[in-house]
Amino acid sequence: MALKPNEQELLDRVSSGLAIGGKFEASSSGATFDVHDPATGDVIKTIADATVDDAVRALDAAVAAQDAWAATSTRERSNILRRAFDLLMERKEDFALLMSMEMGKPIAEARGEVNYGGEFLRWFSEEAVRVRGDYRPNPEGTGNIVVSHQPVGPCYFITPWNFPLAMATRKIAPALAAGCTVVVKPAALTPLTTIFFVQLLEEAGVPAGVVNVVQTSKSSAQSSALLSDSRLRKLSFTGSTPVGVKLLEAAAQNVLRTSMELGGNAPFVVFEDADIDAAVEGAMLAKFRNIGQACTAANRIIVHESVADEFAAKIAERVNKFSIGRGADEGNDIGALVDGKAVANTARLVADAVDTGATVVAGGEIIEGAGNFFQPTVIDKLSKQSAIMREEIFGPVLGIIRFSTEDEAVEIANNTEYGLVSYVFTENLARGQRMIEKLQSGMMGLNTGLVSNAAAPFGGMKQSGVGREGGFEGIHEFLATKYTLIPR
């Protein structure tokens, strides 16, 4: 399928090189790899494939720039981030189209991601000038305690493919605000948005070497080299829990500061007193946003038996009306999954659900032909033995399991190694308060299907990760706390 003229023109403006020390350059080995449109399978751009030596040179550049960037006034850092926000908003259509082409998400959702990702630039431009210390007498009266904060130093960011812009801004913005330099490794499936964003950062005034990008098809070797380098002081990763565990083990060698946003298995609980129409709207947003490819996606829809039939029927009616097609084309609600593996995994989970007693009430099939498409699907009467109850779906499949008592709903919701986010729909204020206390998740949406916000601390419990991104807490992930005693 031929690219449209505006698509080709946009791709031509995206560098194919590695961003190291303020320059875009080829891999030291000359190696390249292809980026594909998941809706067609076509190659849309061929870009440099970084070697381990390239990654080390990127860290060299970050280390060389660290002291000067840390010494830059917080007002100047703030101004640069604000300029980056303004430029991003001016180029919203470019970034949305680029994301749709390389990741597959509908263009309308891509525009929403630009808005969301941009808010991290705006938020942390404001937080840069508001890092507070403390000055207080010690209890003995023999001196004064001074508490101050300093940048942790060079950081390594590993970002996922599902939100190519927002996951980059959510990490880069607080790091720059705090005075840290960074090396970014974007996902090999969706590197173009990150490269384009770093071009924008340079235009906004970020000095050479402060932000470096080394995309690669050989992630493990690159990460091992950087994590074993004593000059690196911080790791931030968004991705699966198994990979996160390995990275934490590697980061322990040099006792790195870490922020890990890992897997999720979000429960979406609908009580008998819920506003069912509102719950349906919330579920549509929490499940089918980003084609279901989100760690915050509602994974286990836990519905009271007295309202489950009504809920399932209304959900199925909405899902059957979805328009499916290439995300970059206007008007489509569901785009392509990121690759063939995602399609196969989604099909496996649906088949397992049926084998363990569930009923498909909408969709349920791979869409044959070009691209990585799977029908948006609703499954009712899931059993507790279904693989969906244990594994992230990462596809457009909504599975409903029924419950009879509040205690049973809590037991089902908490019966997972994950604890990223949960959703609850109830009109009972006391019950809502009980769910805030009882559900084991780092975030919760009460009568809403969307919780992410740049001003809020994003992160999980249990095997969903450590640390927080966003909010007042986010900048402190990149600051070391220093205590000084001044004798009287």
Side-chain angles (χ1 to χ4, degrees), residues 1 4 39 100 104-111 288 290-291 321-336 373:
M1 177 179 174
K4 298 174 183 176
S100 291
K105 69 180 65 190
I107 187 71
E109 291 191 14
R111 293 184 182 112
F288 294 105
N290 214 47
I291 327 166
K321 293 179 181 178
F322 274 143
S323 174
I324 306 167
R326 184 171 182 253
D329 296 337
E330 295 282 357
N332 288 321
D333 303 304
I334 297 290
F373 291 93

Side-chain angles (χ1 to χ4, degrees), residues 18-355:
L18 310 170
I20 300 176
K23 299 178 181 179
F24 285 91
E25 55 190 67
S27 166
S28 58
S29 69
T32 61
F33 67 95
D34 295 331
V35 181
H36 298 82
D37 181 340
T40 64
D42 295 339
V43 174
I44 56 175
K45 196 171 183 73
T46 299
I47 61 175
D49 191 351
T51 65
V52 170
D53 287 343
D54 294 326
V56 173
R57 288 194 301 110
L59 181 58
D60 291 342
V63 170
Q66 177 60 53
D67 287 347
W69 183 243
T72 301
S73 72
T74 56
R75 176 58 66 198
E76 178 59 16
R77 291 185 229 146
S78 172
N79 289 342
I80 289 172
L81 287 170
R82 179 63 199 216
R83 284 197 294 272
F85 168 78
D86 290 337
L87 288 171
L88 184 62
M89 292 302 101
E90 290 173 11
R91 297 167 194 176
K92 179 190 297 187
E93 290 302 313
D94 284 346
F95 277 89
L97 179 57
L98 186 60
M99 276 191 286
S100 291
M101 283 194 287
E102 70 170 341
M103 185 264 157
K105 69 180 65 190
I107 187 71
E109 291 191 14
R111 293 184 182 112
E113 182 175 341
V114 177
N115 289 334
Y116 173 56
E119 283 304 310
F120 289 101
L121 298 171
R122 177 155 63 175
W123 175 262
F124 286 109
S125 75
E126 296 161 348
E127 287 301 289
V129 296
R130 294 190 174 92
V131 175
R132 296 178 178 86
D134 194 16
Y135 180 90
R136 59 184 182 268
N138 65 9
E140 298 78 14
T142 59
N144 291 314
I145 294 168
V146 177
V147 179
S148 57
H149 303 283
Q150 298 175 337
V152 297
C155 306
Y156 180 43
F157 297 155
I158 304 173
T159 58
W161 51 262
N162 55 341
F163 291 95
L165 178 67
M167 297 304 96
T169 61
R170 197 161 78 181
K171 297 180 190 301
I172 293 172
L176 298 192
C180 298
T181 59
V182 303
V183 176
V184 185
K185 190 208 77 63
L189 291 170
T190 59
L192 302 182
T193 302
T194 303
I195 295 170
F196 200 42
F197 176 60
V198 172
Q199 293 175 226
L200 180 148
L201 287 179
E202 292 189 356
E203 188 176 344
V206 174
V210 171
V211 180
N212 308 275
V213 180
V214 278
Q215 66 274 4
T216 179
S217 61
K218 300 173 285 295
S219 300
S220 179
Q222 174 173 300
S223 294
S224 294
L226 294 187
L227 294 175
S228 63
D229 193 312
S230 62
R231 299 174 299 169
L232 187 72
R233 297 314 313 145
K234 164 84 182 185
L235 165 67
S236 181
F237 168 74
T238 297
S240 73
T241 295
V243 174
V245 169
K246 292 179 180 178
L247 289 169
L248 281 169
E249 291 173 348
Q253 298 175 58
N254 288 317
V255 196
L256 298 184
R257 287 277 293 271
T258 59
S259 299
M260 312 296 285
E261 196 265 281
L262 306 177
N265 194 3
F268 187 103
V269 185
V270 182
F271 286 100
E272 66 273 22
D273 57 13
D275 179 329
I276 299 302
D277 289 335
V280 168
E281 289 293 334
M284 295 294 290
L285 182 60
K287 173 70 261 184
F288 294 105
R289 174 174 172 253
N290 214 47
I291 327 166
Q293 299 172 122
C295 56
T296 55
N299 206 56
R300 298 166 295 142
I301 314 300
I302 305 165
V303 185
H304 192 272
E305 59 191 8
S306 67
V307 295
D309 287 342
E310 178 187 0
F311 181 86
K314 288 184 174 181
I315 283 283
E317 180 182 6
R318 292 284 299 276
V319 168
N320 284 327
K321 293 179 181 178
F322 274 143
S323 174
I324 306 167
R326 184 171 182 253
D329 296 337
E330 295 282 357
N332 288 321
D333 303 304
I334 297 290
L337 294 176
V338 72
D339 60 13
K341 292 179 182 178
V343 175
N345 188 59
T346 302
R348 175 184 64 84
L349 290 172
V350 171
D352 173 83
V354 172
D355 289 344

